[in-house]
Amino acid sequence: MEHPTLSNADLGELLWRAGSEHQGHRRQALERASRASRFWAEEAADLALADRSLTELRAVGPWVETQILEWLERPPDPVEPDATRSGFLTYAQVRKVLDADPAWERTPHADLQMHSTDSDGSLPIRGMASAARELGRTFVAITDHSKSLRIANGQDEERLADQGRRIDRLNAELASERDPFRILRSIEMDVRLDGSGDMEPTALADLDLVLGALHTGLRSKEEATERYLTAIRDPSIHVLAHPRARMFGRRVGLSADWRQVFDEAARLGKAVELDATPARQDLDVELARLAGEAGVRWFSIGSDAHSVDELEFLPFGLATAALAGIPRERILNYQPAETVVEWARGLRERVG
């Protein structure tokens, strides 16, 4: 039986497993290449086919190149990846998808999750917004963490109100310069174990967009369906953020009756997020497709950036949407900022 060509994802798994068979600098080299393989812009197999050196790829030296070429020439039997590393797109896959349909990146779009120094980001709001604007984003949502997530310097109601006033001033400054770019007053509110949010509804009432996200109890083996349903039914929450809360190489995330969760989101008109952070990719392609089939009307894509470099993660979310068959017309990022704000306001009034 002929073996299929090994993808960068396959090679990353082989490199990681090979690392466990070595010690010292060889183990470090293999593991370093495994981590880097997720971000190679081209498939290693394509470079080899074109008779190009694999040392063009980050973290690949001559010895690692030899290992990879041996696998490409004589592919080993398929090896299922560890569950914590399964179902993640590589950057080479992302580029192949988006290059095949350039409209995904050329059509003006926003970034609907990012963090500033008001919680655990590395730059103030102005810096993050300016960097996103330079990348061509039409508007952004500043979604700093809420008070329960102390490890991330989460904001309480008073700090959130102060942040809102500062964002209003920045938007007024942009408007005075006739700059259409806009910053949404938002938050990534922590969802407790019982599914309730950790912020007072009155403090959220004037926000443009509220993301609800699970950050605790993420290794539980118990089904979390009711926790999700409670969160979705919260009138203050517009978007269910990185729903599974999985993390590459660390945890598989929570389990649930996802069809029931998405059916409820569709019934209430709530959005679900495609978190573009490469280590999250949550929803993944399979669950994003299920959400679309369940009738979820709106999807939100966020880089979940905590620094300027991470703003460039957004294509992972765009590629997920494309592969899941979600049209751009159902993605909030491709709507005008005013449309998103009006949608969220109307949703709050209808659900409340």
Side-chain angles (χ1 to χ4, degrees):
M1 186 176 83
E2 186 175 343
H3 289 274
T5 301
L6 296 175
S7 68
N8 287 352
D10 297 325
L11 292 172
E13 187 68 20
L14 289 169
L15 286 162
W16 189 261
R17 294 185 180 226
S20 65
E21 300 173 0
H22 293 270
Q23 298 295 325
H25 71 276
R26 287 195 167 186
R27 177 170 187 162
Q28 292 173 0
L30 290 163
E31 292 183 349
R32 186 164 54 247
S34 175
R35 289 189 292 269
S37 67
R38 298 165 54 212
F39 301 98
W40 295 338
E42 299 177 83
E43 294 286 352
D46 292 340
L47 266 68
L49 189 62
D51 201 26
R52 291 164 57 189
S53 173
L54 300 191
T55 59
E56 294 180 34
L57 301 172
R58 183 161 62 91
V60 176
W63 182 74
V64 171
E65 178 185 37
T66 300
Q67 308 303 302
I68 295 174
L69 288 174
E70 288 179 1
W71 290 324
L72 291 174
E73 187 174 340
R74 293 182 293 277
D77 292 332
V79 178
E80 285 297 318
D82 180 88
T84 64
R85 299 191 293 271
S86 178
F88 287 85
L89 300 177
T90 65
Y91 187 52
Q93 290 175 299
V94 169
R95 288 270 37 104
K96 182 176 181 180
V97 170
L98 298 182
D99 290 346
D101 186 356
W104 279 99
E105 292 180 290
R106 291 179 183 171
T107 304
H109 56 277
D111 187 336
L112 295 181
Q113 188 184 167
M114 65 180 61
H115 302 268
S116 76
T117 48
D118 283 349
S119 63
D120 58 345
S122 62
L123 278 182
I125 294 170
R126 182 186 291 273
M128 290 296 289
S130 295
R133 182 180 176 281
E134 287 297 314
L135 287 172
R137 308 297 180 241
T138 51
F139 62 99
V140 299
I142 298 295
T143 56
D144 283 307
H145 291 287
S146 59
K147 61 186 180 183
S148 290
L149 210 61
R150 295 179 182 176
I151 193 173
N153 189 33
Q155 299 181 102
D156 61 16
E157 287 80 0
E158 184 177 351
R159 288 174 56 205
L160 178 64
D162 175 69
Q163 183 188 71
R165 290 188 288 269
R166 286 184 281 119
I167 290 176
D168 285 343
R169 288 196 293 270
L170 286 172
N171 280 329
E173 183 181 316
L174 290 165
S176 70
E177 298 169 354
R178 299 185 181 279
D179 189 330
F181 185 83
R182 182 172 177 181
I183 305 167
L184 301 190
R185 296 166 299 163
S186 310
I187 193 171
E188 184 181 0
M189 180 173 66
D190 196 45
V191 172
R192 300 185 183 104
L193 291 174
D194 64 359
S196 64
D198 71 337
M199 299 289 282
E200 290 297 325
T202 53
L204 306 174
D206 291 330
L207 295 185
D208 299 314
L209 193 68
V210 175
L211 280 59
L214 285 63
H215 294 104
T216 55
L218 303 182
R219 297 183 186 278
S220 173
K221 298 188 183 303
E222 295 182 9
E223 193 175 87
T225 305
E226 288 304 318
R227 188 179 181 187
Y228 288 113
L229 294 177
T230 300
I232 288 170
R233 291 165 184 160
D234 184 335
S236 295
I237 292 177
H238 306 120
V239 181
L240 184 62
H242 51 70
R244 279 180 64 188
R246 69 175 184 167
M247 192 64 70
F248 184 88
R250 289 172 49 191
R251 60 174 183 262
V252 295
L254 296 170
S255 62
D257 181 339
W258 292 110
R259 184 61 192 234
Q260 186 178 357
V261 171
F262 297 145
D263 282 346
E264 188 68 357
R267 184 182 74 83
L268 294 175
K270 299 296 182 82
V272 294
E273 186 189 43
L274 309 179
D275 189 304
T277 298
R280 287 191 183 275
Q281 298 187 41
D282 182 13
L283 300 172
D284 60 15
V285 173
E286 181 180 352
L287 284 182
R289 185 178 293 116
L290 179 61
E293 293 171 351
V296 171
R297 176 66 181 88
W298 290 111
F299 293 81
S300 174
I301 303 177
S303 64
D304 201 353
H306 290 67
S307 65
V308 168
D309 290 348
E310 293 177 358
L311 290 169
E312 298 191 43
F313 288 163
L314 204 65
F316 281 85
L318 306 185
T320 296
L323 288 168
I326 300 167
R328 288 185 289 277
E329 294 76 18
R330 291 170 64 182
I331 299 174
L332 292 171
N333 305 61
Y334 291 94
Q335 300 297 315
E338 295 75 14
T339 299
V340 175
V341 172
E342 287 300 318
W343 163 77
R345 182 179 298 119
L347 187 63
R348 181 183 286 119
E349 292 171 355
R350 180 163 64 88
V351 176

